[in-house]
Amino acid sequence: QVQLVQSGAEVKKPGASVKVSCKASGYTFTTYDINWVRQATGQGLEWMGWMNPKTGNTGYAQKFQGRVTITRNTSIGTAYMELTSLRSEDTAVYYCAREGSGLFHVLDVWGQGTTVTVSS
Amino acid sequence: DIQMTQSPSSLSASVGDKVTITCRASQSISNYLNWYQQKPGKAPKVLIYAASYFQSGVPSRFSGSGSGTDFTLTISSLQPDDFATYYCQQTYSTPYTFGQGTKLEIK
C-alpha cells in the first residue's frame, strides 16, 4: 500500500542539526511532491516547505529560510528534511506528507511523524 | 503570508449533533482550501479538498463549503469517531498556512 515511513526519534542539543528521512513505498516516488509539516506539543500544524522529487526543486516558508533544506535520493525513494541551528522552540513532531495529484496541493498520505527534542 | 483563522477554537457537542466549524482567510484564496482531521498521537487525515470535494473514503456526513475568504466544515450527525481536532489549510500560495485548529470534544 501507499505509505511514507519516517526515521526514528531524535534528541539534539541547541545549535546542532537534525536530518529526518521519509521513505516512500507503493507508488512512484518522483510523481508526487513531498511537503514537510511540524507540530509542537499541544500546538497546531505548521507548514515548512515542499520538494518536487523529480526535479529537486524546493520551496520553504520564510520562517525557516536559511535553516531548512529538503533533499531526496531518488534511487531509494527517500526524502530528507534537515534543520540546522536547532533551538528549544524546534522541539516538535515533524511530518512528511505527499501531495496528491491535482491542483489543490492536497496532503493525501502522511508519514507517522518523527519526534525531535532539542534540549541541553 | 495568508492568515487562516478558525472558529471556534474548541467545541463541545453530543453524538448526533450537527456542528459547523468556520475558517476565514486574510485574503481571497478562491477555493484552495482543504480540511484535515487529527486524532491524538496520529498524523492528520484529509477530509475535504478544494473547499467542497470529498476525499475518497470520507463519510458523507462531512461536507465543506465556501469560496473567497469564508469557509465552513459541517458534520451533519456527530459520531463517536469524529471527536478530534480539525484544521483548515490554504494552498493558494506558499507558505501553505493552517488554521489554529478546532478541538471537538464530547459533551
Side-chain angles (χ1 to χ4, degrees):
Chain A
Q1 73 279 25
V2 174
Q3 61 179 349
L4 298 172
V5 178
Q6 297 182 224
S7 49
E10 302 265 12
V11 179
K12 296 291 182 181
K13 293 195 183 301
S17 300
V18 68
K19 191 170 186 177
V20 179
S21 68
C22 170
K23 182 170 176 59
S25 62
Y27 73 98
T28 302
F29 175 65
T30 51
T31 301
Y32 301 96
D33 289 357
I34 292 287
N35 286 220
W36 287 86
V37 174
R38 77 177 187 179
Q39 185 172 39
T41 302
Q43 303 301 307
L45 302 169
E46 183 172 32
W47 185 85
M48 300 179 69
W50 66 272
M51 178 191 65
N52 179 316
K54 186 173 184 177
T55 64
N57 288 347
T58 56
Y60 305 118
Q62 183 71 26
K63 173 176 179 175
F64 301 102
Q65 283 278 0
R67 285 209 303 143
V68 68
T69 305
I70 301 173
T71 57
R72 88 287 194 213
N73 182 331
T74 56
S75 66
I76 58 172
T78 301
Y80 303 91
M81 186 283 299
E82 182 174 26
L83 189 62
T84 62
S85 302
L86 289 169
R87 36 218 191 216
S88 58
E89 310 90 88
D90 294 317
T91 295
V93 177
Y94 289 76
Y95 294 101
C96 61
R98 186 187 84 163
E99 272 191 37
S101 58
L103 300 174
F104 293 91
H105 310 285
V106 182
L107 303 179
D108 66 346
V109 179
W110 293 66
Q112 82 278 18
T114 296
T115 300
V116 175
T117 303
V118 182
S119 174
S120 54
Chain B
D1 297 0
I2 298 174
Q3 310 272 12
M4 305 301 293
T5 304
Q6 287 181 234
S7 61
S9 295
S10 64
L11 175 59
S12 293
S14 301
V15 172
D17 285 353
K18 176 180 178 180
V19 300
T20 299
I21 299 169
T22 65
C23 179
R24 175 164 288 175
S26 60
Q27 65 182 75
S28 177
I29 58 170
S30 184
N31 63 334
Y32 285 78
L33 191 285
N34 306 321
W35 288 97
Y36 297 87
Q37 176 194 66
Q38 186 181 34
K39 296 182 179 178
K42 300 293 187 182
K45 167 189 166 184
V46 61
L47 299 174
I48 302 285
Y49 68 94
S52 61
Y53 292 85
F54 296 102
Q55 182 70 2
S56 175
V58 172
S60 59
R61 62 181 179 273
F62 291 92
S63 63
S65 65
S67 183
T69 61
D70 294 314
F71 302 87
T72 60
L73 173 70
T74 299
I75 310 172
S76 60
S77 177
L78 274 174
Q79 299 301 301
D81 191 49
D82 301 337
F83 292 94
T85 301
Y86 294 84
Y87 294 93
C88 60
Q89 183 199 25
Q90 66 81 19
T91 57
Y92 182 79
S93 66
T94 58
Y96 296 148
T97 42
F98 290 89
Q100 82 278 16
T102 295
K103 186 174 184 179
L104 181 52
E105 299 175 305
I106 300 173
K107 185 183 286 184

